[in-house]
Amino acid sequence: MTKKICLTGIKPTGTPHLGNYIGMIRPALELAEKENHEAYYFIADYHAIITVHDKKKLEGFIHEVAASWLALGLNPSTTTLYLQSHIPEITELAWILSCVTPKGLLNRAHAYKAALDINETEKRDPDYGVNLGLYNYPVLMASDILFIKAHYVPVGSDQIQHIEIARDIAKSFNHKFGNILRLPEAMIQEKTKLVPGTDGRKMSKSYGNIIPLFLSEKKLRKEIMKIPTDSLAPSAPKNPDSSFIFQLFEHFGSESEVNDLRAAYEAGISWGDAKQQLFEKLNSALAKPREKYEDFLANPFKIKEVLEESALRIRPKAKALLNEIKEALGLQPF
Ligand code: ADP
Ligand code: TRP
């Protein structure tokens, strides 16, 4: 039976947060453990340089993202964890794909359109602050996915459009050059596809509403205690389903723990007590990974070893596909 290839990436543009973990990292790690699945998870450093132009910051974020995967249970002997820029075939393929990508497809991409909208609101030139990397982002992402012939791409719902674009590019390529590229499918879990942040919007680095994954116990407690709540009296019944605290708890508690907290909300629990319960739950789930995370950050050579070994494993596959593609295009006339 052919193995199902799973692939996903995270940009090293900030510190990983609970939304990344619940929405993508945890489901991706579960998928990697399934029988007949082969997982390739990567750090999208070439995507990050679209916005991060500070050497120290970028290096730090790359370490943090890699350490997070490893601390949360990625097994590097069965799951290939790699750095995008270690596989130059991906950027080579991106150029080829850009030559079969209609410009109009990229005009409609969300991230580019969002930049245009901000410029319009601010009454600036539409291209202000837009580099070609941002514009081409979906082509590089298509190349990330297509170079390994991925079947499934576990992501949060904000990435659906990018995966649709990757499918469109693959179709356009196959139509011209033969059935070489596999059309990938987004893998999205209904319950975790959009984790809210402390202000109720999607938890995102860009909105400043995140709870970082790896805080010290003391800082985690402080973050949780800071979550804004309404002014209902401590003993007043509260609606669990509109409470960020409860929603976060649901992602970590067992069924009976969640039912107990729901009952406590309905009977009247103080916000302080609800926050304390959430803190204890999160802290016990994250205590062990936190220790491993700190260890990886203190010993970056352990990360380097994993990434270098992965590059050796993947590059022959990437080269083989690229050769097949070049041959189909007429780029190997001799
Ligand atoms: P951010 O929006 O904070 O910049 P990224 O774009 O780095 O996050 O996201 C990395 C992965 O985590 C993507 O697959 C994305 O869909 C997922 N993800 C990020 N935030 C959330 C969230 N709040 N809920 C569900 N998934 C998320
Ligand atoms: N665009 C993704 C994000 O913002 C990161 C990413 C880059 C990615 N290449 C990918 C995700 C390929 C899945 C597959 O989070």
Side-chain angles (χ1 to χ4, degrees):
M1 190 173 154
T2 50
K3 289 199 172 175
K4 296 290 182 199
I5 300 175
C6 315
L7 170 136
T8 194
I10 309 189
K11 289 171 297 179
T13 48
T15 298
H17 53 75
L18 284 174
N20 297 140
Y21 175 58
I22 300 166
M24 194 276 266
I25 299 177
R26 189 166 61 181
L29 290 172
E30 284 165 8
L31 194 63
E33 291 301 319
K34 282 195 175 172
E35 235 180 275
N36 287 319
H37 284 63
E38 195 171 288
Y40 296 87
Y41 297 158
F42 73 99
I43 303 148
D45 54 346
Y46 274 151
H47 283 277
I49 60 169
I50 294 168
T51 50
V52 183
H53 294 166
D54 177 315
K55 173 185 155 77
K56 279 271 158 296
K57 273 198 181 145
L58 183 62
E59 287 173 350
F61 292 149
I62 292 172
H63 287 183
E64 286 182 30
V65 172
S68 299
W69 276 114
L70 292 165
L72 290 164
L74 181 144
N75 175 354
S77 54
T78 50
T79 295
T80 307
L81 176 70
Y82 61 100
L83 190 63
Q84 184 184 30
S85 63
H86 281 173
I87 321 291
E89 289 77 12
I90 295 174
T91 31
E92 202 177 336
L93 176 60
W95 173 258
I96 295 176
L97 296 178
S98 76
C99 298
V100 297
T101 303
K103 177 170 174 282
L105 191 62
L106 302 186
N107 288 342
R108 292 190 288 277
H110 294 323
Y112 169 65
K113 270 177 57 185
L116 293 191
D117 287 349
I118 293 173
N119 286 337
E120 193 182 327
T121 316
E122 301 287 323
K123 299 200 170 16
R124 292 190 295 232
D125 184 280
D127 289 333
Y128 177 84
V130 176
N131 60 34
L132 277 178
L134 176 68
Y135 192 71
N136 274 326
Y137 188 111
V139 178
L140 181 57
M141 179 152 163
S143 184
D144 291 331
I145 299 171
L146 300 175
F147 94 98
I148 198 90
K149 296 202 170 181
H151 293 87
Y152 301 131
V153 187
V155 279
S157 53
D158 57 327
Q159 297 300 314
I160 293 175
Q161 191 200 31
H162 286 142
I163 292 159
E164 287 302 319
I165 294 178
R167 290 173 65 91
D168 287 344
I169 294 177
K171 275 186 215 158
S172 157
F173 180 93
N174 286 350
H175 180 69
K176 289 189 160 76
F177 301 109
N179 207 6
I180 297 180
L181 299 174
R182 175 175 288 130
L183 269 52
E185 270 174 52
M187 190 167 260
I188 290 167
Q189 298 199 343
E190 201 42 46
K191 274 187 122 173
T192 59
K193 66 180 186 186
L194 208 161
V195 179
T198 52
D199 59 358
R201 295 192 289 170
K202 175 201 163 210
M203 187 180 290
S204 171
K205 287 166 246 172
S206 336
Y207 299 152
N209 62 357
I210 65 160
I211 299 186
L213 252 179
F214 294 117
L215 291 172
S216 66
E217 184 169 331
K218 207 169 146 200
K219 285 201 176 135
L220 178 64
R221 187 163 199 287
K222 218 170 137 193
E223 266 319 290
I224 305 263
M225 294 302 157
K226 259 181 20 199
I227 295 170
T229 47
D230 58 30
S231 53
L232 282 176
S235 58
K238 299 180 174 65
N239 179 0
D241 297 311
S242 61
S243 159
F244 170 70
I245 300 163
F246 182 79
Q247 285 165 6
L248 213 48
F249 188 92
E250 273 188 301
H251 291 297
F252 291 89
S254 67
E255 200 180 327
S256 74
E257 289 168 339
V258 171
N259 287 341
D260 287 352
L261 187 60
R262 177 177 287 280
Y265 263 71
E266 283 159 2
I269 183 175
S270 73
W271 288 125
D273 287 347
K275 287 176 178 179
Q276 182 61 27
Q277 288 207 29
L278 173 63
F279 162 70
E280 283 169 15
K281 194 78 243 158
L282 275 177
N283 193 46
S284 70
L286 295 173
K288 277 225 169 70
R290 180 193 292 141
E291 261 177 48
K292 291 190 190 162
Y293 177 78
E294 293 304 337
D295 180 61
F296 278 113
L297 286 188
N299 298 289
F301 69 92
K302 292 188 185 171
I303 300 176
K304 185 169 178 257
E305 241 172 55
V306 170
L307 299 180
E308 286 179 353
E309 157 108 24
S310 294
L312 290 178
R313 220 184 286 168
I314 301 183
R315 283 197 71 193
K317 293 180 200 275
K319 281 190 180 142
L321 182 68
L322 201 57
N323 274 336
E324 189 184 346
I325 289 175
K326 284 181 171 175
E327 170 73 29
L329 262 82
L331 288 168
Q332 280 174 342
F334 305 109

